[in-house]
Amino acid sequence: VSTQSTGIGKADTLTPEECVEFKANVMREIENNDIKIYQFPVDEFDEEEEAQDLQAQLPFAVVGSNTMLDINGKKLRGRMYPWGIAEVENPDHCDFIFLRNLLIRTHMQDLKDVTNNVLYENFRCNKLAAVTSVNLASKLASSN
């Protein structure tokens, strides 16, 4: 089973309505093409509602910026536009906080486990199977 992370970059180029529509289109394409994406685990410490809330945010729409802006004495990361500011850490502007919390705070160990136990093991098995089939084919060819 392959798992993919889903995200939309440059969310600041979309209106809120366009972002909702674009997210729905992306999720529809993911479902229509049977693409496996990360399923948020629910354990005894997590609430099922929290996992459902995170799942509902997919795909994450993010604004990236390495620029710190000084707005009325307050430092914030974002992008300045003629019409206003797109703040990276403002949940009204993008899903960066949800994504950061997912990756670093709440699901880091599960992501490591899935990467190691599923993704890496599938990769390793595929590579070993390819090497084994090549070796078998060369042995059969040399014995004939």
Side-chain angles (χ1 to χ4, degrees), residues 54-103:
L54 282 171
Q55 202 73 36
Q57 291 286 42
L58 292 178
F60 295 112
V62 296
V63 173
S65 177
N66 59 0
T67 305
M68 294 300 289
L69 303 173
D70 187 348
I71 307 301
N72 299 326
K74 182 180 174 187
K75 296 273 186 197
L76 55 93
R77 188 173 306 278
R79 290 187 181 171
M80 180 80 72
Y81 293 100
W83 46 262
I85 300 167
E87 297 176 45
V88 170
E89 296 186 16
N90 184 335
D92 292 333
H93 297 183
C94 73
D95 297 330
F96 174 77
I97 290 178
F98 300 111
L99 181 60
R100 179 186 63 198
N101 289 344
L102 165 77
L103 293 175

Side-chain angles (χ1 to χ4, degrees), residues 15-53:
T15 66
E17 296 79 18
E18 290 170 334
C19 190
V20 168
E21 184 179 336
F22 190 69
K23 283 180 158 193
N25 288 339
V26 169
M27 289 307 292
R28 196 168 23 262
E29 287 295 319
I30 287 170
E31 290 169 11
N32 290 344
N33 292 288
D34 197 30
I35 298 170
K36 306 292 183 226
I37 61 174
Y38 181 74
Q39 297 299 310
F40 301 98
V42 179
D43 61 26
E44 64 272 9
F45 301 109
D46 283 338
E47 304 236 355
E48 188 171 341
E49 187 175 316
E50 179 186 345
Q52 290 172 344
D53 288 345

